[in-house]
Amino acid sequence: MKEPLLTDQGVFDRAFAQLLELDDRLVPVAEVAGRPALRRRPPGFSGLCAVVIAQQLSVASARAISARFEAAMGGTPTVEAMLAAPVETLRGAGLSAPKIRTLTGIARALAEGEVDLEAVARMEADAAAEVMTRLPGIGLWTADIYLLFCLGRADAFPHGDLALQVAMGDAFELGGRCTALGLRAIAEDWRPLRGVAAHLLWAYYGARRARLGAPA
């Protein structure tokens, strides 16, 4: 099976059906979670900025800071605008000092050609994530989230994600949170649709927390 590009909800729904056929252990998970909605962000530097900004923030806070950041950039963030922006302007948008360093470092690395995001989009998912970690402040989790949400890569899989680990431990009755290595091993059965499985597990995580009365 060739990795599909998750361009819209219809493509995702077809890939989701294929995933359940690939591993029927996920059928009861889907019965709890329902059919997940495809999550997408813009590709390129602007999308990567959004992923970095959202780290360790609530959805509401991330959206507010992203909106102020875009306003400070004069619209969609570009490498050129980022490199030209005064630190005071970035602080005024709500960016922390570490995130300012990360975004500036990414912009500089992209401007100098250290990483080509267009070339990354054509690589196999795991190889693409590894190349992206050459960017300052970008680890595998951030790289996989970019590949999945910004590029629609159906096989990108952030096995280090805590919610995915908790969901897997619960869904497969492992007696506790699944380890990152364990989750990565289990996910091998879902290639080339691991990213579709990630959407399902996130939806399952949210549904379970909602049933238990906890905020999703």
Side-chain angles (χ1 to χ4, degrees), residues 147-173:
L147 293 172
L148 185 56
F149 292 164
C150 298
L151 298 183
R153 296 295 301 272
D155 202 38
F157 191 74
H159 61 275
D161 188 88
L162 179 61
L164 293 184
Q165 294 169 13
V166 172
M168 175 55 69
D170 188 8
F172 278 29
E173 299 180 346

Side-chain angles (χ1 to χ4, degrees), residues 39 41 47-63 65-66 94-103 106 132-133 135-146 149 158 161:
R39 298 159 67 176
R41 285 178 173 159
L48 187 52
C49 286
V51 172
V52 170
I53 289 171
Q55 290 175 350
Q56 299 178 325
L57 291 178
S58 68
V59 173
S61 295
R63 285 176 178 168
I65 293 175
S66 290
L95 292 177
S96 65
K99 288 187 178 179
I100 291 173
R101 286 195 298 271
T102 294
L103 294 178
I106 290 171
M132 287 195 65
T133 62
L135 293 170
I138 300 299
L140 281 176
W141 180 88
T142 304
D144 281 318
I145 292 294
Y146 172 81
F149 292 164
D161 188 88

Side-chain angles (χ1 to χ4, degrees), residues 12-76:
F12 178 88
D13 289 346
R14 290 190 290 275
F16 182 66
Q18 290 176 317
L19 174 68
L20 298 186
E21 291 178 0
L22 197 62
D23 189 345
D24 59 12
R25 295 174 299 175
L26 295 175
V27 172
V29 180
E31 290 173 352
V32 173
R35 181 175 297 174
L38 174 63
R39 298 159 67 176
R40 287 298 305 266
R41 285 178 173 159
F45 179 69
S46 64
L48 187 52
C49 286
V51 172
V52 170
I53 289 171
Q55 290 175 350
Q56 299 178 325
L57 291 178
S58 68
V59 173
S61 295
R63 285 176 178 168
I65 293 175
S66 290
R68 293 199 297 270
F69 175 63
E70 287 195 15
M73 293 290 100
T76 301

Side-chain angles (χ1 to χ4, degrees), residues 72-207:
M73 293 290 100
T76 301
T78 64
V79 167
E80 295 76 15
M82 185 69 206
L83 293 177
V87 172
E88 294 76 14
T89 299
L90 299 172
R91 287 175 180 163
L95 292 177
S96 65
K99 288 187 178 179
I100 291 173
R101 286 195 298 271
T102 294
L103 294 178
T104 302
I106 290 171
R108 187 174 296 112
L110 293 177
E112 295 174 356
E114 293 181 21
V115 172
D116 182 345
L117 291 182
E118 291 186 3
V120 163
R122 297 189 293 270
M123 296 177 184
E124 183 271 334
D126 289 340
E130 288 286 351
V131 168
M132 287 195 65
T133 62
R134 298 174 189 171
L135 293 170
I138 300 299
L140 281 176
W141 180 88
T142 304
D144 281 318
I145 292 294
Y146 172 81
L147 293 172
L148 185 56
F149 292 164
C150 298
L151 298 183
R153 296 295 301 272
D155 202 38
F157 191 74
H159 61 275
D161 188 88
L162 179 61
L164 293 184
Q165 294 169 13
V166 172
M168 175 55 69
D170 188 8
F172 278 29
E173 299 180 346
L174 301 179
R177 176 167 64 89
C178 187
T179 65
L181 288 178
L183 180 58
R184 185 174 188 174
I186 293 170
E188 286 297 311
D189 291 339
W190 305 328
R191 285 183 181 272
L193 302 173
R194 293 178 301 166
V196 179
H199 276 79
L200 172 59
L201 290 173
W202 277 315
Y204 177 83
Y205 177 83

